[in-house]
Amino acid sequence: MSIRDLLYTDFDGTAVDDPDDVILDALDDPRYRQRIAPLTAILQDASNTPYDRFLACCALTSWAEPAGYRAVAEATKAGDKTVWYRELIDRRFSVDETFSQLAGAVRISGDFATDNSTEQERATALVALIGVADQFYFDWQLAAAIDNSTAGSARDEIAATVRRGIAALTQGKPPAFDLGAQLAELARSMTTVDEQLAVQLGYELARVDSSPSTLIRLTPIASQGMSPESRSFGTYLATIGDEQVQAAISQLREDRIE
C-alpha cells in the first residue's frame, strides 16, 4: 500500500487532502490499526521518499506505536542528517519544521500511549526531543507535549537544554529561529513540578534575552507559581519588559486578587 492509500484516504475510503485528518480520525476509529503494519513498512524502507517516511513516522508516533517513538529518538541523534530533515520548512523563520511536527505527534499520542501501554516509550521520545531543543525549531509543540509527569522525570534534561540554549545566546551563536521564546516555554513547563528551578531558569534566560516574545512566555512562571520568589520574578519581568510585558504582569496580578 502507498502513503496515499494509508494517509490520504480516510477509513471509509474517501480521498482527503490533509494526512492530519486521517491521523486525528483514529482518535475515534479503531480501524486505524489496520494501517499500522504497512505504515511501519514504509517508515523502515529506505527506498521510500523521505517525506513519505516522515508522514509514516508522524502517524505511528501519534498513535503511540513503538516504531514511531523509536524513529523520533533516532531522528534526534541524526539531527540535521535525518533523512527527512527540511522536508518541511517553517514559513516565518525558513528553518526545518519536521522536529516541531514530531513533537506535535508525541503530544497527540498521550491518550493512545495509555491505551497501548507505551507511556515509557513516549517519555523516552519526548526526552530525546527536549535534548535537542536548543538546536532545532519546535515552536510551541514541544512544551505543549510536556505534562507534569514528564516535566518531573525530565527535570534535568529540561534544565540542561535551557542552559545550553542560554549559552548559545550569550555567545552570540543562536539558531535562525526565536530560541529565547522556545527556551522560555521549556522553563515555564517546570513551574508546577519545581517552581524554584523554573524561577531560576527564568532569571537566567531573561538576563540574556529581554525580548518581548521571551518575556511574555516567562510570565506564566509568575502567574502559576505560588512562592514569593515567583511573585518577585513577575516584578522583575515588569521592570525590564516593554508595555506589552507590563500589561501581562498587571493582568496576572489582577487575576490573583480575583
Side-chain angles (χ1 to χ4, degrees):
M1 300 180 72
S2 70
I3 202 73
R4 184 153 294 279
D5 297 322
L6 297 166
L7 293 179
Y8 287 89
T9 306
D10 70 17
F11 302 117
D12 293 319
T14 302
V16 299
D17 295 326
D18 189 344
D20 284 343
D21 293 342
V22 175
I23 292 172
L24 295 177
D25 280 350
L27 289 165
D28 303 306
D29 196 326
R31 289 179 291 176
Y32 81 91
R33 294 187 176 278
Q34 300 170 8
R35 305 191 182 189
I36 290 173
L39 282 168
T40 301
I42 288 175
L43 170 63
Q44 297 174 346
D45 186 347
S47 68
N48 289 301
T49 69
Y51 189 63
D52 284 0
R53 295 176 70 189
F54 170 71
L55 289 180
C57 181
C58 286
L60 293 167
T61 302
S62 297
W63 299 340
E65 290 299 312
Y69 288 140
R70 284 194 298 270
V72 170
E74 289 168 3
T76 66
K77 294 177 183 177
D80 61 5
K81 300 299 190 294
T82 304
V83 64
W84 53 65
Y85 186 72
R86 292 186 68 86
E87 286 293 309
L88 283 180
I89 301 296
D90 175 76
R91 294 180 179 179
R92 180 181 179 189
F93 297 108
S94 297
V95 296
D96 170 80
E97 195 179 22
T98 60
F99 279 106
S100 174
Q101 294 299 313
L102 293 179
V106 173
R107 174 180 59 82
I108 291 168
S109 73
D111 290 339
F112 286 102
T114 300
D115 295 340
N116 293 353
S117 298
T118 52
E119 295 100 328
Q120 185 55 54
E121 290 88 343
R122 181 180 186 270
T124 298
L126 188 51
V127 167
L129 292 172
I130 290 168
V132 296
D134 58 315
Q135 305 171 50
F136 300 108
Y137 176 66
F138 285 95
D139 198 15
W140 58 273
Q141 296 274 19
L142 181 58
I146 302 173
D147 54 21
N148 285 350
S149 175
T150 306
S153 61
R155 175 189 181 280
D156 292 343
E157 288 82 1
I158 292 172
T161 296
V162 172
R163 284 173 171 145
R164 283 197 307 273
I166 290 172
L169 293 171
T170 303
Q171 296 163 9
K173 299 178 181 178
F177 57 87
D178 192 346
L179 177 59
Q182 189 161 292
L183 298 175
E185 294 275 10
L186 289 179
R188 176 204 55 76
S189 73
M190 293 302 304
T191 306
T192 56
V193 296
D194 192 333
E195 186 175 338
Q196 182 178 0
L197 177 59
V199 171
Q200 184 176 353
L201 292 174
Y203 274 118
E204 291 176 21
L205 177 58
R207 289 183 183 120
V208 300
D209 182 359
S210 59
S211 63
S213 62
T214 293
L215 298 187
I216 284 291
R217 287 168 176 80
L218 288 173
T219 57
I221 296 175
S223 64
Q224 296 171 6
M226 303 302 293
S227 68
E229 290 78 12
S230 294
R231 291 191 287 274
S232 295
F233 180 59
T235 300
Y236 173 73
L237 292 178
T239 300
I240 66 172
D242 63 7
E243 293 180 358
Q244 183 181 9
V245 176
Q246 292 164 4
I249 294 297
S250 296
Q251 184 61 53
L252 295 176
R253 288 172 174 162
E254 291 178 10
D255 293 342
R256 278 182 180 274
I257 294 174
E258 293 177 0

